[in-house]
Amino acid sequence: MIGYPVQRLEDEPLLRGQARYVADLAVPGTVHAVFVRSPLAHARVRGIGVDEAAKAPGVLGVFGAEDLGLGGLDEWPPPPGGPRAALRRPCLARDRVRFVGEALAVVVAETEAQAVDAAELVEVDLEELPAAVDPVAAAAEDAPVLFEELGSNVARREVVSTGGDPLEGAEVVVSARLVDQRVAAVPLEPNGTLAVPEDDGGLTLWVSAQAPFQVRAAVAGLLGLAPEAVRVRVPAVGGGFGAKGGAYPEQVVVAALARRLRRPVRHVETRSENLVAMSQGRGQVQEVTLGATRDGRLVGLRARTLTDMGAYPWRGGIPFRTALLMAAGPYRVPNLTVEALGVLTPTTPIGPYRGAGRPEAALMWERAMDLLALELGLDPAELRRRNLLRPDELPRQTPSGAAYDSGDYPGALEAVLALADYEGLREEQARRRRERARWQLGIGLACFVEVSGTGEEYGALRVTPTGTVELVTGSSPHGQGHATTFAQVVAATLGVPLEQVRLVASDTGLVPRGTGTFGSRSGQLGGGAAKLAADEVLAKAKALAAAHLEAAVEDIEVAEGRLQVAGVPARSLDWAELAALAEAPEGRALLGPEGLFAEADAAQPEGTYPNGAHLAVCEVDLETGLARVTRVVAVDDCGTVINPRVVAGQVHGGLAQGIAQALYEEVRFDESGQPLGTTLAEYRVPSAAELPSFETAEHPVPTPRNPLGAKGVGESGTVGATPAVVNAVLDALAPYGVRHLDPPLSPERIWQALRAAARP
Ligand code: MCN
């Protein structure tokens, strides 16, 4: 069962259009909320006029911050001194707005159309304040500040260092300034909330989310309710990609409205709303210097990274911290000093977006490595070969606090080179260069290590009277295939068919506790907890079977769908019979009232470190600047693979998003903080037509840190693909004098660079 490419069990309703999302839920009497959002990036709120809106047809109420009296959401993870009250993200802005799209007021009406019309009538009186939109400008000492209490826009500063001058002894040094541009998560389904007041004074909250317990904690906390009084339920989710990982102000407001009005209240974002209100990702400016010996051995890294956190430090601390954690990359780099700044700007808040810090670190390392290879006149693969950590150098503690577990980084590189026919590609490239072909070929490599699966996760297993095995998990799947892969883990232990395992998830009324699905954690931690619980249930069932079949416990073995006395299929019990026995007096005497039930909290404080080597092949048209990706070969190490089909699917999704960042996507603002492009006509998300067929392979080295040996895989595609594609395009352009370009590598950017380089 483990390692078998089982078809996903959860796909049928999704493919048939039968899955229900927040917008599809039909609760009688539901009314609709529409938010009034700031049209300015940075302004003082002088007043909000609601009289006209309140009189509009169908309107039940118009509410501002004062009316609802809600507090704010704390920054996560907190900085060393704990979260700062002054920097909380308000649920509705009170006297200041700090980004275009920040919610200022909310209108509730019987129909959505009425609420939209009435929201137009709300008069917002704002006094525009100066804004430093560019994060580098915002970090300057004389920049206009977003929070007077902070006195500066620099919300975080951390330094990791091995001490001294990291470049001392370097014979060759390369430097670059790189911009890892801001991107949007763009899930097919935007954020949505449906809050239903219950007769007992509690609340059921349907949300499109990745971590229902985080939403419950925030909503209950801000509404002054006991956590149990808020039941958070997650129906089908149309993508989260990290951006649905935390609690949003809008969720708290909708919950407060349902209690205030005693009506079910729904809010679902429009696409344009989503492109300003949902947290965005990346947004890092990197100044990097790499030193090496003349024969290409790394001596040290010095870097200064500036992470745009957007208007509130709310969840921008996650990518900020992870990028720093991964500062040592997959290489043997004896010395490093990295200074990381987290800077507030009057823009949509930054939060975790698939990869959340690791793609930033990988782009920095892999661009710098290619520039170093160019400087040394060494093949990029050879430079990496000389510096990748070997298996015997792991486990390893890095100066930035990462605890690499296991892996064969050079093996993954050799595998990708072989799969791609690296030599053949270089020959083809040389041919096109010789012939001065219009379409030049570029080959890009990215070697990386990333972090996954920190913290803990809950799992419980119960055998029901029919013999169905119910697995309760604290993870909250939204596309990752947990119903399939967790069932494989349980089936592998208990010997039951997959269809006999039922996953219970994403409902705080049915799951006692949980962390959620993000940080590529669920396979190893949710699956790991399922494994621990299944082992315990199996031990209980074996004791029960031994007593009933009058055999020794050691002689009871797992057979297909049953337990039997070793080698004697006639003396066996199926799981329904075992469940009945557990309920009978002898069973109760043996197992206690819990019967065939076990629960576990899988914990993994150090996390695990997936790694891999990705190779991209691009063709670049010298006449138009168009770059197209013709091949992506990805070799990944996610430890023991539970389901190769699911893993390949996860890698495909990540690669698509990584390529999208390399070539197409970018969130841009003008100098006053107005977003340039809040529709999918302007924000360029590629479709399958722009992407090649992916070639993926696993190079697994199990981790010793969990019982499955699994590392994460949900994000690795985004970590490797962006630098691989950027490196490929720049490899094609290298003979034409273009040293570096920041993504997205649009035809215009490439064309301009070619023209500038060609000028004498
Ligand atoms: N798996 C496996 N063998 C392994 C590791 C994982 O078979 N060695 C399986 C797991 O059991 C799980 C899947 O692969 O079914 C992904 O596992 P994992 O890497 O643990 O990631 P999570 O399940 O925790 O998912 C989170 C991850 C993240 S962080 C983002 S962002 C992301 C992603 O998953 N967002 C997604 N994949 C997504 N896929 C979809 N469809 N939609 C999103 O929003």
Side-chain angles (χ1 to χ4, degrees):
M1 269 301 155
I2 304 286
Y4 192 76
V6 176
Q7 287 268 11
R8 299 202 336 167
L9 303 171
E10 50 270 86
D11 282 346
E12 192 166 330
L14 295 168
L15 294 173
R16 289 188 185 279
Q18 290 161 343
R20 293 189 316 154
Y21 301 81
V22 168
D24 302 322
L25 303 171
V27 177
T30 297
V31 294
H32 300 268
V34 166
F35 286 88
V36 177
R37 298 183 180 277
S38 174
L40 295 179
H42 191 202
R44 203 181 318 281
V45 183
R46 279 199 292 238
I48 301 177
V50 302
D51 295 353
E52 286 303 306
K55 285 186 286 191
V59 170
L60 298 166
V62 185
F63 306 88
E66 304 289 343
D67 306 309
L68 294 181
L70 296 167
L73 298 164
D74 274 325
E75 56 189 307
W76 181 259
R84 295 160 287 191
L87 304 191
R88 274 190 193 127
R89 179 172 179 188
C91 289
L92 289 173
R94 201 178 287 258
D95 13 78
R96 267 287 179 105
V97 284
R98 295 188 174 87
F99 68 97
V100 171
E102 180 165 16
L104 271 163
V106 61
V107 178
V108 187
E110 292 288 347
T111 71
E112 194 173 357
Q114 288 170 331
V116 170
D117 287 347
E120 301 261 306
L121 302 174
V122 175
E123 284 169 25
V124 181
D125 184 8
L126 300 177
E127 178 195 335
E128 189 160 14
L129 296 170
V133 177
D134 176 76
V136 177
E141 263 175 31
D142 56 350
V145 293
L146 281 181
F147 293 87
E148 264 96 33
E149 301 86 336
L150 191 65
S152 137
N153 292 316
V154 179
R156 298 210 182 184
R157 181 179 177 274
E158 286 183 41
V159 177
V160 294
S161 180
T162 47
D165 174 7
L167 302 173
E168 201 183 314
E171 293 163 347
V172 180
V173 166
V174 290
S175 294
R177 181 183 188 276
L178 314 171
V179 179
D180 195 337
Q181 84 274 26
R182 179 191 280 247
V183 292
V186 204
L188 277 181
E189 180 205 20
N191 262 330
T193 309
L194 170 62
V196 185
E198 302 294 351
D199 293 341
D200 62 3
L203 199 65
T204 298
L205 202 64
W206 294 88
V207 285
S208 184
Q210 301 172 217
F213 284 93
Q214 280 192 28
V215 177
R216 184 178 79 164
V219 170
L222 288 171
L223 264 52
L225 295 170
E228 301 73 39
V230 180
R231 177 178 181 184
V232 175
R233 304 185 67 179
V234 179
V237 173
F241 310 116
K244 291 179 183 169
Y248 274 85
E250 287 88 346
Q251 293 163 341
V252 182
V253 171
V254 171
L257 292 171
R259 279 176 61 78
R260 165 78 72 108
L261 299 169
R262 305 203 172 287
R263 297 278 296 269
V265 180
R266 176 169 18 225
H267 167 252
V268 176
E269 287 175 346
T270 64
R271 178 59 61 192
S272 294
E273 215 177 0
N274 177 262
L275 283 167
V276 292
M278 175 169 273
S279 63
Q280 300 176 339
R282 316 281 187 261
Q284 197 176 74
V285 180
Q286 311 166 333
E287 282 162 21
V288 54
T289 303
L290 211 49
T293 58
R294 228 172 289 285
D295 66 347
R297 315 271 162 193
L298 288 172
V299 168
L301 165 90
R302 186 170 58 219
R304 183 172 190 267
T305 65
L306 205 138
T307 304
D308 185 351
M309 296 180 117
Y312 295 95
W314 178 53
R315 289 171 59 73
I318 298 174
F320 170 84
R321 283 254 67 226
T322 339
L324 192 59
L325 183 72
M326 298 318 301
Y331 302 109
R332 191 181 310 104
V333 54
N335 306 305
L336 63 77
T337 296
V338 181
E339 180 192 16
L341 300 181
V343 181
L344 298 168
T345 61
T347 58
T348 297
I350 288 281
Y353 167 62
R354 202 169 194 172
R358 293 91 102 197
E360 291 87 324
L363 186 72
M364 178 178 86
W365 261 106
E366 294 309 283
R367 274 309 296 146
M369 286 298 273
D370 264 24
L371 291 171
L372 182 61
L374 213 59
E375 186 70 29
L376 292 167
L378 254 184
D379 182 280
E382 182 53 33
L383 177 66
R384 287 171 173 81
R385 204 174 267 138
R386 290 183 192 174
N387 290 285
L388 281 171
L389 291 167
R390 293 183 310 267
D392 63 300
E393 292 172 282
L394 303 175
R396 186 186 188 90
Q397 193 76 32
T398 74
S400 57
Y404 297 172
D405 49 354
S406 64
D408 175 13
Y409 308 168
L413 173 62
E414 297 310 328
V416 87
L417 296 175
L419 274 173
D421 180 20
Y422 189 66
E423 298 301 318
L425 288 169
R426 285 287 176 212
E427 280 164 27
E428 168 66 10
Q429 178 182 55
R431 184 185 67 77
R432 293 202 201 186
R433 283 182 180 172
R434 264 195 321 272
E435 294 174 1
R436 297 176 184 277
R438 173 173 162 180
W439 287 88
Q440 287 291 316
L441 198 72
I443 304 148
L445 274 172
C447 295
F448 64 90
V449 55
E450 55 132 341
V451 60
S452 72
T454 48
E456 51 189 65
E457 195 53 276
Y458 174 84
L461 214 68
R462 182 193 313 280
V463 182
T464 69
T466 59
T468 295
V469 182
E470 214 174 70
L471 170 62
V472 181
T473 181
S475 82
S476 195
H478 49 283
Q480 295 87 353
H482 298 174
T484 308
T485 54
F486 292 8
Q488 286 178 259
V489 171
V490 172
T493 306
L494 301 185
V496 297
L498 282 180
E499 301 69 35
Q500 209 167 311
V501 185
R502 199 173 73 82
L503 190 70
V504 177
S506 310
D507 183 343
T508 65
L510 300 177
V511 183
R513 57 184 176 275
T515 305
T517 289
F518 47 85
S520 299
R521 64 197 313 282
S522 309
Q524 51 198 307
L525 286 167
K531 171 71 179 146
L532 296 174
D535 283 343
E536 197 179 327
V537 163
L538 179 63
K540 287 181 165 188
K542 278 187 171 176
L544 205 56
H548 188 76
L549 300 171
E550 295 176 346
V553 173
E554 308 77 62
D555 290 340
I556 302 295
E557 63 179 20
V558 176
E560 216 168 292
R562 49 214 302 122
L563 296 187
Q564 68 182 27
V565 178
V568 194
R571 289 173 68 200
S572 71
L573 293 164
D574 69 24
W575 286 90
E577 290 167 330
L578 286 163
L581 280 176
E583 287 297 307
E586 312 89 274
R588 285 180 167 261
L590 194 67
L591 304 181
E594 281 195 336
L596 291 177
F597 171 84
E599 60 184 346
D601 291 281
Q604 205 168 253
E606 292 178 300
T608 59
Y609 288 81
N611 57 86
H614 292 182
L615 184 147
V617 184
C618 289
E619 285 186 327
V620 181
D621 181 357
L622 296 178
E623 286 186 20
T624 65
L626 181 70
R628 59 182 184 217
V629 185
T630 55
R631 285 179 74 191
V632 170
V633 189
V635 173
D636 280 285
D637 167 12
C638 64
T640 307
V641 175
I642 303 167
N643 184 327
R645 190 189 299 264
V646 168
V647 163
Q650 285 297 309
V651 174
H652 284 196
L655 293 175
Q657 285 176 301
I659 295 170
Q661 178 171 14
L663 295 186
Y664 306 109
E665 297 187 16
E666 179 172 33
V667 173
R668 294 187 304 136
F669 299 90
D670 73 10
E671 64 283 358
S672 71
Q674 288 298 326
L676 300 171
T678 55
T679 71
L680 293 185
E682 300 137 308
Y683 188 84
R684 305 179 62 222
V685 179
S687 71
E690 283 83 26
L691 302 170
S693 290
F694 302 128
E695 300 161 64
T696 62
E698 285 298 316
H699 190 76
V701 180
T703 179
R705 294 195 180 148
N706 63 60
L708 294 170
K711 307 168 186 171
V713 76
E715 294 162 282
S716 45
T718 59
V719 185
T722 307
V725 171
V726 171
N727 279 345
V729 172
L730 286 157
D731 181 51
L733 298 177
Y736 300 88
V738 180
R739 183 173 179 264
H740 175 74
L741 288 175
D742 291 316
L745 299 174
S746 63
E748 187 190 353
R749 199 168 281 185
I750 292 171
W751 186 77
Q752 296 281 15
L754 281 168
R755 273 175 49 111
R759 247 176 257 134

